[in-house]
Amino acid sequence: MSFQIFTDTSANLPTALAQEKQIGVIPFTYIVEGEERSCLDTEAFDGAEYYGLLRSRANISTSQINPQRYVEYMEPALKAGQDILYIGMSSGISGSYQSACIAAEQLRDAYPQREVRTVDTLGASLGEGLVVLSAAENRDKGLSLDNTVSAALKQSQCMYQVFLVDDLFHLKKNGRLSNAASIVGTVLQIKPILKGNEQGQIVCIAKERGRRRAIRALADHYKAYVKDAPHQTVGIAHADCAEDAEYLSGLIREAARPKSVLNVLYEPVTGSHVGSGTLALFFRGDELVRSKD
């Protein structure tokens, strides 16, 4: 391996897949009723229980991790003579990427003979994770660190991230919604459609009446904006709504069949910000796709 790739748990990669691709994963933590937890084993994560707690408005919170945690996880690779590429969660919704940059600068000073590079995906969940997987594939094909970084930055720019939520409670509570004035209720079964914009922020772009109609709207965005579908992996993440995820998977295969679909349960930290019942779709479009509604 010419360099070691690191990401964080918000990339939402199944543990077995990250291990297979030799991707180091740095844990984010979350607090449930005063107890701090992390999720480094996706198979052991009880999504039904966790998202049930979110539905009941249990006291669940997250906190930004400090630079020292990044140092602790990445320094052994530098000591072993490897360069590092860290691919992280959007700086538009979390300060954790800045903590990673601070850690990277500390490590560059301590190991001046080594390269420590960082990439802000401007995404979360599989909007981040798909970039990480592609970087691992490029590394394993023999691409240099510089070329892998360039490809990851380009893919991040072209990654369309669109999702529906049952309501905006959690996004508003955690300050993750940039256009918070776009508040809608659930009395009339109005479902907000949101996306990640050019700055990696979450914005509300539409409102659909009824869940099935909202899911079809996600597929319509895919049909309109996807590029080179047969040669890409498309991501779907759900917060305890597996049947809806399968329905969406079928719709996108009908619209433009991708090479594969990676379907995952939202990990707990990102999931706590979007809430139970969230369904998200991630795919590559053109270089201007982030600006499109």
Side-chain angles (χ1 to χ4, degrees):
M1 224 173 18
S2 55
F3 53 91
Q4 175 65 52
I5 293 175
F6 286 92
T7 188
D8 49 65
T9 45
S10 79
N12 226 159
L13 295 177
T15 300
L17 181 59
Q19 291 173 345
E20 175 191 340
K21 301 296 183 181
Q22 299 183 67
I23 298 165
V25 180
I26 298 169
F28 285 175
T29 57
Y30 59 106
I31 301 168
V32 180
E33 302 294 349
E35 177 189 352
E36 186 174 73
R37 304 178 184 178
S38 62
C39 180
L40 275 171
D41 183 355
T42 56
E43 290 298 317
F45 173 52
D46 189 339
E49 177 189 28
Y50 179 75
Y51 288 109
L53 290 172
L54 276 182
R55 288 188 183 95
S56 68
R57 301 292 198 250
N59 184 18
I60 297 177
S61 61
T62 64
S63 60
Q64 181 180 323
I65 65 174
N66 60 41
Q68 185 57 33
R69 182 173 298 172
Y70 292 97
V71 170
E72 289 171 359
Y73 274 80
M74 293 192 285
E75 189 170 28
L78 296 172
K79 287 182 176 179
Q82 291 183 308
D83 294 331
I84 286 176
L85 170 56
Y86 172 75
I87 301 176
M89 183 185 190
S90 173
S91 62
I93 57 175
S94 171
S96 294
Y97 180 74
Q98 183 58 33
S99 291
C101 291
I102 293 170
E105 192 60 36
Q106 293 175 0
L107 290 169
R108 291 186 195 106
D109 290 342
Y111 299 88
Q113 74 280 18
R114 301 259 61 89
E115 290 282 339
V116 182
R117 307 286 293 277
T118 64
V119 169
D120 180 357
T121 62
L122 301 176
S125 185
L126 292 179
E128 174 187 353
L130 292 177
V131 178
V132 176
L133 288 177
S134 291
E137 291 174 2
N138 286 333
R139 175 200 61 193
D140 296 344
K141 289 176 183 175
L143 264 67
S144 67
L145 177 58
D146 284 343
N147 287 339
T148 302
V149 168
S150 296
L153 289 170
K154 181 177 181 180
Q155 184 176 359
S156 297
Q157 182 183 25
C158 296
M159 184 66 67
Y160 197 74
Q161 304 166 87
V162 62
F163 61 105
L164 68 88
V165 295
D166 269 348
D167 63 58
L168 298 175
F169 173 82
H170 296 283
L171 285 167
K172 287 174 55 189
K173 172 188 173 185
N174 295 295
R176 259 63 182 188
L177 184 61
S178 292
N179 56 345
S182 302
I183 298 171
V184 295
T186 58
V187 175
L188 298 177
Q189 290 299 304
I190 300 298
K191 301 301 178 186
I193 306 294
L194 305 103
K195 73 161 191 175
N197 68 9
E198 301 96 313
Q199 291 77 43
Q201 301 166 325
I202 296 172
V203 293
C204 184
I205 58 172
K207 307 163 190 176
E208 296 289 345
R209 183 167 302 217
R211 190 166 177 88
R212 278 298 169 108
R213 185 170 176 175
I215 296 172
R216 289 193 292 271
L218 301 186
D220 288 343
H221 280 77
Y222 173 78
K223 186 175 182 180
Y225 301 140
V226 69
K227 297 295 182 184
D228 197 24
H231 296 99
Q232 67 166 291
T233 296
V234 169
I236 294 175
H238 70 91
D240 196 29
C241 51
E243 289 185 4
D244 289 343
E246 287 299 326
Y247 177 60
L248 177 58
S249 180
L251 291 177
I252 65 171
R253 285 188 168 98
E254 290 175 7
R257 181 175 288 272
K259 179 178 69 175
S260 61
V261 176
L262 180 58
N263 189 339
V264 302
L265 177 69
Y266 258 107
E267 54 81 31
V269 173
T270 310
S272 73
H273 296 151
V274 294
S276 302
T278 295
L279 182 63
L281 178 63
F282 310 90
F283 60 89
R284 290 199 310 272
D286 63 27
E287 64 275 8
L288 299 176
V289 74
R290 281 180 171 269
S291 65
K292 297 175 180 176
D293 290 344

